[in-house]
Amino acid sequence: MGVMDVSSRSVKAYARLDSRDRRLASLVVGSVVVAFVAAFVQVSQGSYPTPFGTTFDVLTDPRILFDADVWAAILTGSDFPDRLSRSAVIVWSLRMPRVFIAALVGVNLSISGAVFQAVTRNELASPYILGVSGGAGLAVLVTLVFFAGASYVLPFAAAIGGLVAFAIVYAIAWQGGTNPVRLVLAGVVVATVFQSLQTGLFYFLDSTAVVKTAIAWTTGSLTGVGWSQFRLAIVPTLLVVPILLLASRHLNVLLLGEETARSLGMPVEYVRFGLSALAILAAATAVAVAGLVGFVGLVVPHAVRTAVGSDYRRLVLGSLFLGPALVLVADVVARLALMPIQIPVGIVTGVIGGPYFLYLMRRHGDFSEF
């Protein structure tokens, strides 16, 4: 009887929710389900397929989950213990880090895109379109080409490159202020220039292995990633995500326009700069571990906005769940569709995002603000 009472109260509470809150709840639950299914397929399938039952046992075995040596290998980079079965080693040392990194890439790109769309008041904005990903990618590529052993500085190099790119975009678009048209067009120009510079760097490469690595970075790839990349990405992600969740009301105020925001007492330029810096850090984190994975920051916030509206308290939260689901599904397709050939995940997201961007352009042909 008590269980029935609890269930009845839960149903009544759900019914009292605002329709947009219900859609947000459905979006979150659906994204979690899709992400878990994609992750399970990712860790069980490959050149060494693992039966689903064996995979489930490996993922839920408390002797692995609570093994101090396993956690030491994940968090410090030490070797996984020899007592693990072959299936457990493959799942935990090779496939699980790819799943977690894909999720982190989805989180960072989606919230970065959401912030840029609020800061520029333009739903066509994203790290990719505004040149931030291009600047971060160029900095990462320069580091790989000329400082190959300094992988630990990749997040910092990516952040600096993204910041420089966005500063250039803002400088080009500034004419006593900015508007959505100039920001998007300046972003496209800067992204094109940085892409050309990336292509030019290939003439300085004298090793086939480095060329392959560079191509993987410029197309966006999760092939070969490990727990070291996870450790690089998790710290900035844990810094950026809580702050942006708390700052969602400031994003809502920015959508009202500069004059209204100032009349409400907001220091607009400082808030815009701070939020842009966090968005750049998020995008740079994704670029540092996965390269240029395009269009996630465009597609995810817009899809969430279509479902739950423009309130950033809902939009940021929804993006945090839909982004990982999208990248995980895209990476499953990238890894398994043409097996044994693995294609870069950025190609899959580009196939999805390119037509979607064209749809948005046709829908908002004047690049109008939202």
Short mmCIF file of all heavy atoms in Angstrom, two decimals, residues 262-305:
data_model
loop_
_atom_site.label_atom_id
_atom_site.label_comp_id
_atom_site.label_asym_id
_atom_site.label_seq_id
_atom_site.Cartn_x
_atom_site.Cartn_y
_atom_site.Cartn_z
N ARG A 262 21.58 46.14 -18.76
CA ARG A 262 22.21 47.21 -17.98
C ARG A 262 21.21 47.87 -17.04
O ARG A 262 21.54 48.24 -15.92
CB ARG A 262 22.82 48.25 -18.92
CG ARG A 262 24.07 47.78 -19.64
CD ARG A 262 24.83 48.94 -20.29
NE ARG A 262 26.04 48.48 -20.93
CZ ARG A 262 26.14 48.15 -22.22
NH1 ARG A 262 25.07 48.25 -23.00
NH2 ARG A 262 27.29 47.73 -22.73
N SER A 263 19.98 48.03 -17.50
CA SER A 263 18.97 48.64 -16.63
C SER A 263 18.66 47.78 -15.43
O SER A 263 18.20 48.28 -14.40
CB SER A 263 17.68 48.89 -17.43
OG SER A 263 17.05 47.66 -17.77
N LEU A 264 18.93 46.48 -15.53
CA LEU A 264 18.74 45.57 -14.40
C LEU A 264 19.97 45.47 -13.52
O LEU A 264 20.01 44.68 -12.57
CB LEU A 264 18.36 44.17 -14.93
CG LEU A 264 17.00 44.07 -15.64
CD1 LEU A 264 16.82 42.70 -16.25
CD2 LEU A 264 15.87 44.38 -14.67
N GLY A 265 21.00 46.27 -13.84
CA GLY A 265 22.19 46.31 -13.01
C GLY A 265 23.28 45.34 -13.38
O GLY A 265 24.25 45.17 -12.63
N MET A 266 23.17 44.72 -14.54
CA MET A 266 24.21 43.75 -14.94
C MET A 266 25.36 44.46 -15.63
O MET A 266 25.15 45.23 -16.56
CB MET A 266 23.63 42.71 -15.90
CG MET A 266 24.69 41.77 -16.48
SD MET A 266 24.03 40.57 -17.67
CE MET A 266 23.24 39.42 -16.54
N PRO A 267 26.62 44.19 -15.20
CA PRO A 267 27.78 44.69 -15.95
C PRO A 267 27.98 43.83 -17.20
O PRO A 267 28.69 42.82 -17.18
CB PRO A 267 28.93 44.50 -14.96
CG PRO A 267 28.49 43.39 -14.06
CD PRO A 267 27.00 43.48 -13.98
N VAL A 268 27.34 44.23 -18.27
CA VAL A 268 27.19 43.37 -19.44
C VAL A 268 28.52 42.89 -20.00
O VAL A 268 28.70 41.69 -20.25
CB VAL A 268 26.38 44.11 -20.54
CG1 VAL A 268 26.35 43.27 -21.82
CG2 VAL A 268 24.98 44.38 -20.06
N GLU A 269 29.46 43.80 -20.21
CA GLU A 269 30.72 43.41 -20.84
C GLU A 269 31.50 42.43 -19.98
O GLU A 269 32.09 41.47 -20.48
CB GLU A 269 31.56 44.65 -21.14
CG GLU A 269 30.94 45.60 -22.16
CD GLU A 269 30.62 44.92 -23.47
OE1 GLU A 269 31.32 43.97 -23.86
OE2 GLU A 269 29.63 45.32 -24.12
N TYR A 270 31.52 42.65 -18.65
CA TYR A 270 32.24 41.74 -17.77
C TYR A 270 31.59 40.35 -17.77
O TYR A 270 32.27 39.32 -17.81
CB TYR A 270 32.29 42.30 -16.35
CG TYR A 270 33.18 43.50 -16.19
CD1 TYR A 270 32.63 44.76 -16.01
CD2 TYR A 270 34.56 43.38 -16.25
CE1 TYR A 270 33.44 45.89 -15.87
CE2 TYR A 270 35.38 44.49 -16.11
CZ TYR A 270 34.81 45.74 -15.93
OH TYR A 270 35.62 46.84 -15.80
N VAL A 271 30.25 40.34 -17.70
CA VAL A 271 29.54 39.05 -17.71
C VAL A 271 29.74 38.33 -19.03
O VAL A 271 30.02 37.12 -19.08
CB VAL A 271 28.03 39.27 -17.43
CG1 VAL A 271 27.26 37.98 -17.65
CG2 VAL A 271 27.82 39.79 -16.02
N ARG A 272 29.63 39.09 -20.13
CA ARG A 272 29.83 38.48 -21.45
C ARG A 272 31.24 37.93 -21.59
O ARG A 272 31.44 36.82 -22.10
CB ARG A 272 29.55 39.52 -22.53
CG ARG A 272 29.75 39.01 -23.95
CD ARG A 272 29.46 40.10 -24.94
NE ARG A 272 28.03 40.39 -25.00
CZ ARG A 272 27.52 41.53 -25.45
NH1 ARG A 272 28.33 42.50 -25.84
NH2 ARG A 272 26.22 41.71 -25.50
N PHE A 273 32.24 38.68 -21.12
CA PHE A 273 33.63 38.22 -21.21
C PHE A 273 33.83 36.96 -20.37
O PHE A 273 34.44 36.00 -20.81
CB PHE A 273 34.58 39.32 -20.74
CG PHE A 273 36.03 38.91 -20.73
CD1 PHE A 273 36.78 38.93 -21.90
CD2 PHE A 273 36.64 38.48 -19.56
CE1 PHE A 273 38.10 38.53 -21.90
CE2 PHE A 273 37.96 38.08 -19.55
CZ PHE A 273 38.70 38.12 -20.72
N GLY A 274 33.31 36.99 -19.13
CA GLY A 274 33.49 35.83 -18.25
C GLY A 274 32.83 34.58 -18.79
O GLY A 274 33.42 33.48 -18.79
N LEU A 275 31.59 34.71 -19.26
CA LEU A 275 30.88 33.56 -19.81
C LEU A 275 31.53 33.06 -21.10
O LEU A 275 31.61 31.85 -21.33
CB LEU A 275 29.42 33.93 -20.05
CG LEU A 275 28.58 34.20 -18.80
CD1 LEU A 275 27.19 34.69 -19.19
CD2 LEU A 275 28.47 32.95 -17.93
N SER A 276 32.00 34.00 -21.92
CA SER A 276 32.70 33.59 -23.16
C SER A 276 33.98 32.84 -22.83
O SER A 276 34.31 31.86 -23.50
CB SER A 276 33.00 34.82 -24.02
OG SER A 276 31.82 35.45 -24.45
N ALA A 277 34.70 33.30 -21.80
CA ALA A 277 35.94 32.62 -21.41
C ALA A 277 35.64 31.19 -20.97
O ALA A 277 36.38 30.25 -21.31
CB ALA A 277 36.63 33.40 -20.29
N LEU A 278 34.56 31.00 -20.20
CA LEU A 278 34.19 29.65 -19.78
C LEU A 278 33.79 28.79 -20.98
O LEU A 278 34.14 27.60 -21.06
CB LEU A 278 33.04 29.72 -18.78
CG LEU A 278 33.38 30.28 -17.40
CD1 LEU A 278 32.12 30.50 -16.59
CD2 LEU A 278 34.34 29.35 -16.66
N ALA A 279 33.06 29.38 -21.93
CA ALA A 279 32.66 28.64 -23.12
C ALA A 279 33.88 28.25 -23.96
O ALA A 279 33.94 27.15 -24.51
CB ALA A 279 31.68 29.47 -23.95
N ILE A 280 34.84 29.16 -24.05
CA ILE A 280 36.07 28.87 -24.78
C ILE A 280 36.84 27.74 -24.10
O ILE A 280 37.36 26.83 -24.76
CB ILE A 280 36.94 30.13 -24.89
CG1 ILE A 280 36.29 31.13 -25.86
CG2 ILE A 280 38.35 29.80 -25.37
CD1 ILE A 280 36.91 32.51 -25.81
N LEU A 281 36.91 27.77 -22.77
CA LEU A 281 37.60 26.70 -22.03
C LEU A 281 36.91 25.36 -22.28
O LEU A 281 37.58 24.34 -22.48
CB LEU A 281 37.62 27.02 -20.54
CG LEU A 281 38.27 25.96 -19.63
CD1 LEU A 281 39.71 25.72 -20.04
CD2 LEU A 281 38.17 26.39 -18.17
N ALA A 282 35.58 25.36 -22.29
CA ALA A 282 34.85 24.12 -22.54
C ALA A 282 35.14 23.59 -23.95
O ALA A 282 35.43 22.41 -24.13
CB ALA A 282 33.35 24.35 -22.35
N ALA A 283 35.05 24.48 -24.95
CA ALA A 283 35.32 24.06 -26.32
C ALA A 283 36.76 23.60 -26.49
O ALA A 283 37.04 22.60 -27.16
CB ALA A 283 35.02 25.20 -27.29
N ALA A 284 37.69 24.31 -25.86
CA ALA A 284 39.11 23.96 -25.96
C ALA A 284 39.38 22.60 -25.32
O ALA A 284 40.22 21.83 -25.81
CB ALA A 284 39.96 25.04 -25.31
N THR A 285 38.69 22.31 -24.24
CA THR A 285 38.85 21.00 -23.59
C THR A 285 38.45 19.88 -24.53
O THR A 285 39.15 18.86 -24.65
CB THR A 285 37.99 20.94 -22.31
OG1 THR A 285 38.43 21.95 -21.40
CG2 THR A 285 38.11 19.58 -21.65
N ALA A 286 37.33 20.06 -25.23
CA ALA A 286 36.89 19.05 -26.19
C ALA A 286 37.88 18.90 -27.33
O ALA A 286 38.23 17.78 -27.75
CB ALA A 286 35.50 19.41 -26.73
N VAL A 287 38.38 20.03 -27.85
CA VAL A 287 39.35 19.99 -28.95
C VAL A 287 40.64 19.32 -28.50
O VAL A 287 41.26 18.55 -29.25
CB VAL A 287 39.63 21.41 -29.46
CG1 VAL A 287 40.78 21.41 -30.46
CG2 VAL A 287 38.38 22.00 -30.12
N ALA A 288 41.07 19.57 -27.27
CA ALA A 288 42.34 19.04 -26.80
C ALA A 288 42.35 17.51 -26.73
O ALA A 288 43.41 16.89 -26.89
CB ALA A 288 42.66 19.61 -25.41
N VAL A 289 41.19 16.89 -26.52
CA VAL A 289 41.17 15.43 -26.39
C VAL A 289 40.59 14.73 -27.61
O VAL A 289 40.81 13.52 -27.79
CB VAL A 289 40.39 14.99 -25.13
CG1 VAL A 289 41.08 15.47 -23.88
CG2 VAL A 289 38.94 15.47 -25.18
N ALA A 290 39.85 15.46 -28.46
CA ALA A 290 39.19 14.79 -29.58
C ALA A 290 39.38 15.49 -30.91
O ALA A 290 38.94 14.97 -31.94
CB ALA A 290 37.68 14.66 -29.30
N GLY A 291 40.02 16.64 -30.94
CA GLY A 291 40.17 17.37 -32.19
C GLY A 291 38.92 18.15 -32.53
O GLY A 291 38.11 18.47 -31.66
N LEU A 292 38.74 18.45 -33.81
CA LEU A 292 37.65 19.32 -34.26
C LEU A 292 36.40 18.52 -34.57
O LEU A 292 36.16 18.10 -35.70
CB LEU A 292 38.09 20.11 -35.50
CG LEU A 292 39.32 21.00 -35.31
CD1 LEU A 292 39.67 21.70 -36.61
CD2 LEU A 292 39.09 22.01 -34.20
N VAL A 293 35.60 18.29 -33.54
CA VAL A 293 34.32 17.60 -33.70
C VAL A 293 33.26 18.67 -33.94
O VAL A 293 32.85 19.38 -33.03
CB VAL A 293 33.97 16.77 -32.45
CG1 VAL A 293 32.64 16.05 -32.64
CG2 VAL A 293 35.09 15.77 -32.16
N GLY A 294 32.85 18.80 -35.18
CA GLY A 294 32.03 19.94 -35.56
C GLY A 294 30.54 19.75 -35.33
O GLY A 294 30.03 18.63 -35.26
N PHE A 295 29.84 20.87 -35.19
CA PHE A 295 28.39 21.00 -35.22
C PHE A 295 27.66 20.51 -33.98
O PHE A 295 26.45 20.72 -33.85
CB PHE A 295 27.80 20.30 -36.46
CG PHE A 295 28.16 20.98 -37.74
CD1 PHE A 295 29.07 20.42 -38.61
CD2 PHE A 295 27.58 22.19 -38.08
CE1 PHE A 295 29.41 21.04 -39.80
CE2 PHE A 295 27.90 22.83 -39.27
CZ PHE A 295 28.82 22.26 -40.13
N VAL A 296 28.34 19.86 -33.03
CA VAL A 296 27.66 19.44 -31.81
C VAL A 296 27.16 20.67 -31.04
O VAL A 296 26.03 20.70 -30.54
CB VAL A 296 28.60 18.59 -30.92
CG1 VAL A 296 27.92 18.26 -29.59
CG2 VAL A 296 29.01 17.32 -31.64
N GLY A 297 28.02 21.70 -30.96
CA GLY A 297 27.64 22.91 -30.26
C GLY A 297 26.55 23.69 -30.94
O GLY A 297 25.95 24.59 -30.33
N LEU A 298 26.25 23.39 -32.18
CA LEU A 298 25.15 24.04 -32.91
C LEU A 298 23.87 23.24 -32.78
O LEU A 298 22.80 23.78 -32.45
CB LEU A 298 25.52 24.20 -34.38
CG LEU A 298 24.40 24.70 -35.31
CD1 LEU A 298 24.09 26.15 -35.01
CD2 LEU A 298 24.80 24.52 -36.77
N VAL A 299 23.95 21.94 -33.03
CA VAL A 299 22.77 21.10 -33.10
C VAL A 299 22.13 20.91 -31.73
O VAL A 299 20.90 21.04 -31.58
CB VAL A 299 23.13 19.73 -33.73
CG1 VAL A 299 21.96 18.76 -33.62
CG2 VAL A 299 23.54 19.89 -35.18
N VAL A 300 22.94 20.60 -30.72
CA VAL A 300 22.37 20.22 -29.42
C VAL A 300 21.59 21.37 -28.76
O VAL A 300 20.43 21.19 -28.39
CB VAL A 300 23.48 19.69 -28.49
CG1 VAL A 300 22.93 19.51 -27.07
CG2 VAL A 300 24.01 18.37 -29.02
N PRO A 301 22.19 22.57 -28.59
CA PRO A 301 21.40 23.64 -27.95
C PRO A 301 20.12 23.98 -28.71
O PRO A 301 19.09 24.26 -28.11
CB PRO A 301 22.37 24.83 -27.94
CG PRO A 301 23.72 24.23 -28.03
CD PRO A 301 23.57 23.02 -28.89
N HIS A 302 20.20 23.95 -30.05
CA HIS A 302 19.00 24.28 -30.82
C HIS A 302 17.94 23.20 -30.64
O HIS A 302 16.74 23.52 -30.52
CB HIS A 302 19.35 24.43 -32.30
CG HIS A 302 18.19 24.89 -33.13
ND1 HIS A 302 17.33 24.01 -33.74
CD2 HIS A 302 17.73 26.13 -33.41
CE1 HIS A 302 16.40 24.68 -34.39
NE2 HIS A 302 16.62 25.98 -34.21
N ALA A 303 18.34 21.93 -30.64
CA ALA A 303 17.37 20.85 -30.44
C ALA A 303 16.72 20.96 -29.06
O ALA A 303 15.51 20.77 -28.92
CB ALA A 303 18.05 19.50 -30.61
N VAL A 304 17.52 21.26 -28.04
CA VAL A 304 16.98 21.42 -26.69
C VAL A 304 16.05 22.62 -26.63
O VAL A 304 14.97 22.57 -26.02
CB VAL A 304 18.12 21.55 -25.66
CG1 VAL A 304 17.56 21.81 -24.27
CG2 VAL A 304 18.97 20.28 -25.64
N ARG A 305 16.45 23.71 -27.29
CA ARG A 305 15.61 24.92 -27.29
C ARG A 305 14.26 24.64 -27.95
O ARG A 305 13.22 25.14 -27.51
CB ARG A 305 16.34 26.05 -28.03
CG ARG A 305 15.59 27.37 -28.01
CD ARG A 305 16.34 28.46 -28.76
NE ARG A 305 17.58 28.81 -28.08
CZ ARG A 305 18.79 28.46 -28.51
NH1 ARG A 305 18.93 27.74 -29.62
NH2 ARG A 305 19.86 28.80 -27.85
#
